[in-house]
Amino acid sequence: MEEVDSTQIGKNLKIMRGEMTQADLAKAMRKRGYKWTQATVWTAEQGDRKLKLDEAKSLADILGGSLTDFFQSSIVSEKARFLSAAIRALIQTWSETCLLYTSPSPRDGLL
């Protein structure tokens, strides 16, 4: 694994946080006993505050990720591949469902 600096770790944290607000993430960390505020999240995302290992573990758990997500230099492309596969599966399921409701059946008197 290539070396990843605190700026990249912060970017990955921001990506992992997604739609969750910085304030909500700080609140979740406080519930786990950390003295985090919205400003703590902001400084960590900027790379100005290094994460401790136990903090990173808690963050990964809260955000539904893994500890290794913080240390990847290509987290965006990996998440994009995952989302792309999920979207393809959703489209396939939608298409199959539409076919079920648009295909003629014997009860329609069309067969």
Side-chain angles (χ1 to χ4, degrees), residues 26-107:
K27 183 178 179 180
M29 287 294 282
R30 283 194 303 274
K31 285 182 180 179
R32 291 175 178 242
Y34 298 98
K35 295 179 181 179
W36 276 47
T37 64
Q38 178 273 328
T40 310
V41 176
W42 186 85
T43 56
E45 289 180 353
Q46 298 303 306
D48 296 334
R49 183 187 186 283
K50 294 183 178 183
L51 297 178
K52 297 173 184 165
L53 182 58
D54 61 323
E55 291 174 329
K57 287 179 181 177
S58 289
L59 287 166
D61 186 46
I62 291 166
L63 299 172
S66 70
L67 191 58
T68 59
D69 288 341
F70 291 111
F71 305 103
Q72 297 178 23
S73 59
S74 59
I75 188 173
V76 173
S77 61
E78 290 182 31
K79 298 295 181 187
R81 280 194 297 274
F82 171 78
L83 289 174
S84 180
I87 290 169
R88 280 194 304 276
L90 180 62
I91 290 169
Q92 180 65 35
T93 302
W94 176 255
S95 297
E96 291 169 2
T97 302
C98 288
L99 285 175
L100 287 174
Y101 288 103
T102 58
S103 298
S105 70
R107 72 171 187 268

Side-chain angles (χ1 to χ4, degrees), residues 5-15 44-47 70:
D5 65 11
S6 58
T7 302
Q8 184 62 51
I9 292 170
K11 287 178 184 178
N12 291 347
L13 172 58
K14 186 173 184 176
I15 291 166
E45 289 180 353
Q46 298 303 306
F70 291 111

